[in-house]
C-alpha cells in the first residue's frame, strides 16, 4: 500500500514514528508534499533520511501571492534532488481568498513549466468556493491543464469534484487520488466517482495531518490511515483490499519511479 500525498513535516509525531506506524499496516511508500520554500526543504530532508519517503516540491495556491521567479527557481533547483519525484502541490483554491486568482494561475503555470522541464508528475490541489461560483476553480483548472499540461502526468489530489469531472479527468488521462473525505457517510458522490476511475489512473492518499478518515475522524491524520480510505475505495469499486492495494501500488511505482 502507498500514501500518495502527506505533509509529514506538518504532522506532530516525528517522521520516524509515522513511517514505522505506516509500515506496520503495510504502507511501504509515502510521497510527502511541500507547500512553500521552508516545507519543501524540510520535505527533501525527510526524504533523504527515510528510504520509504519520496518528495514533491511546490508552492500551494493559498500562498501564491508574491510567488516570483526566485520562488520558482528554488523549486526547480530542489527538483533536481534524487528524492524529488513530483512537482506540487499547486493548483487553484477559490475557497480561501488569501491569494488572488491571477496569482494562483501564475504560480500554477510556472509549476507546470517546471514539471515539464524536469520530467516529473504534477500534483494538483483543487478547491472550490461554496455558493454562487461553485465549480469555477475546477472548471478553470481543467481548462488550464487541458491547454498547458498536455503530455504531463497529472494527479488530482484529494479529489472532491463530481463523478462527471472524475470521468472527464480519466478521459484526459489524469490520475485521480482519493483522500479520507471519500469515507465520510455523506460522500456518496465521491464514492461514485471512485468507482468510475480506471484502474491505471487510481491513487489513494491521506493528506496527513488533515482529513482523517471516518474511523479516526477528528484526530490528526497519519499515513497509516490510508488503509481505511483504501478499504472504502475498494468497496466502492466492488473489489477486495488486496486487489486495490496492487492497483494503487503499481500506479504510484510507475508515476513516482518507486521500486520494490
Ligand atoms: Zn496537501
Amino acid at each position: 500500500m502507498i500514501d500518495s500525498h502527506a505533509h509529514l513535516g506538518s504532522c506532530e509525531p516525528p517522521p520516524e514514528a509515522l513511517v514505522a506506524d505506516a509500515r506496520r499496516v503495510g504502507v511501504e511508500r509515502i510521497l510527502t508534499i511541500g507547500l512553500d520554500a521552508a516545507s519543501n526543504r524540510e520535505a527533501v530532508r525527510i526524504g533523504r533520511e527515510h528510504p520509504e519517503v519520496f518528495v514533491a516540491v511546490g508552492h500551494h495556491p493559498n500562498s501564491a501571492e508574491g510567488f516570483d521567479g526566485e520562488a520558482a527557481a528554488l523549486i526547480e533547483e530542489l527538483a533536481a534532488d534524487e528524492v524529488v519525484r513530483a512537482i506540487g502541490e499547486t493548483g487553484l483554491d477559490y475557497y480561501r481568498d488569501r491569494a488572488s486568482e491571477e496569482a494562483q494561475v501564475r504560480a500554477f503555470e510556472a509549476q507546470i513549466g517546471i514539471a515539464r522541464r524536469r520530467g516529473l508528475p504534477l500534483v494538483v490541489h483543487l478547491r472550490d468556493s461554496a455558493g454562487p461560483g461553485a465549480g469555477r476553480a475546477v472548471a478553470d483548472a481543467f481548462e488550464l491543464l487541458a491547454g498547458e499540461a498536455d503530455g504531463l502526468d497529472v494527479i488530482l489530489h484529494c479529489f472532491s469534484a463530481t463523478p462527471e469531472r472524475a470521468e472527464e479527468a480519466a478521459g484526459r488521462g489524469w490520475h485521480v487520488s482519493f483522500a479520507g473525505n471519500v469515507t465520510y457517510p455523506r460522500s456518496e458522490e465521491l464514492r461514485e466517482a471512485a468507482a468510475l476511475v480506471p484502474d491505471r489512473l487510481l491513487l489513494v492518499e491521506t493528506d496527513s495531518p488533515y482529513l482523517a478518515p471516518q474511523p479516526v475522524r477528528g484526530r490528526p491524520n497519519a499515513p497509516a490511515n490510508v488503509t481505511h480510505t483504501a478499504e472504502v475505495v475498494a468497496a466502492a469499486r466492488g473489489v477486495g483490499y488486496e486487489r486495490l492495494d496492487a492497483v494503487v501500488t503499481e500506479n504510484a511505482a510507475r508515476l513516482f519511479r518507486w521500486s520494490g
Side-chain angles (χ1 to χ4, degrees), residues 31-205:
L31 191 72
T32 192
I33 314 285
L35 305 162
D36 56 21
S39 60
N40 285 333
R41 283 204 185 88
E42 185 177 23
V44 169
R45 183 183 60 72
I46 295 170
R48 282 182 182 154
E49 288 172 2
H50 301 277
E52 300 89 346
V53 179
F54 294 87
V55 178
V57 290
H59 198 97
H60 196 280
N62 285 342
S63 57
E65 210 62 60
F67 181 87
D68 55 12
E70 199 182 321
L74 178 63
I75 293 172
E76 188 143 4
E77 187 191 316
L78 288 174
D81 195 292
E82 193 269 325
V83 298
V84 174
R85 302 296 168 90
I87 299 299
E89 62 186 282
T90 179
L92 299 178
D93 190 323
Y94 296 173
Y95 181 77
R96 302 190 195 280
D97 56 4
R98 289 184 209 146
S100 69
E101 293 178 14
E102 294 70 29
Q104 294 188 37
V105 167
R106 267 199 308 278
F108 194 6
E109 288 180 319
Q111 290 172 82
I112 291 172
I114 295 168
R116 193 177 290 292
R117 287 191 293 280
R118 290 293 185 197
L120 293 172
L122 186 72
V123 178
V124 178
H125 165 106
L126 295 177
R127 188 157 185 205
D128 260 300
S129 57
R136 236 168 24 84
V138 170
D140 288 359
F142 270 50
E143 200 185 314
L144 196 147
L145 287 168
E148 301 185 27
D150 197 37
L152 279 187
D153 284 319
V154 170
I155 299 149
L156 303 181
H157 120 77
C158 188
F159 185 82
S160 302
T162 61
E164 291 73 26
R165 286 297 194 186
E167 266 189 320
E168 186 185 345
R172 294 189 180 281
W174 300 337
H175 294 76
V176 183
S177 184
F178 290 91
N181 52 344
V182 77
T183 68
Y184 299 164
R186 288 203 282 182
S187 298
E188 213 42 74
E189 268 213 327
L190 277 184
R191 288 186 285 278
E192 213 180 293
L196 291 171
V197 176
D199 273 356
R200 68 189 169 80
L201 298 176
L202 185 73
L203 291 169
V204 289
E205 62 171 83

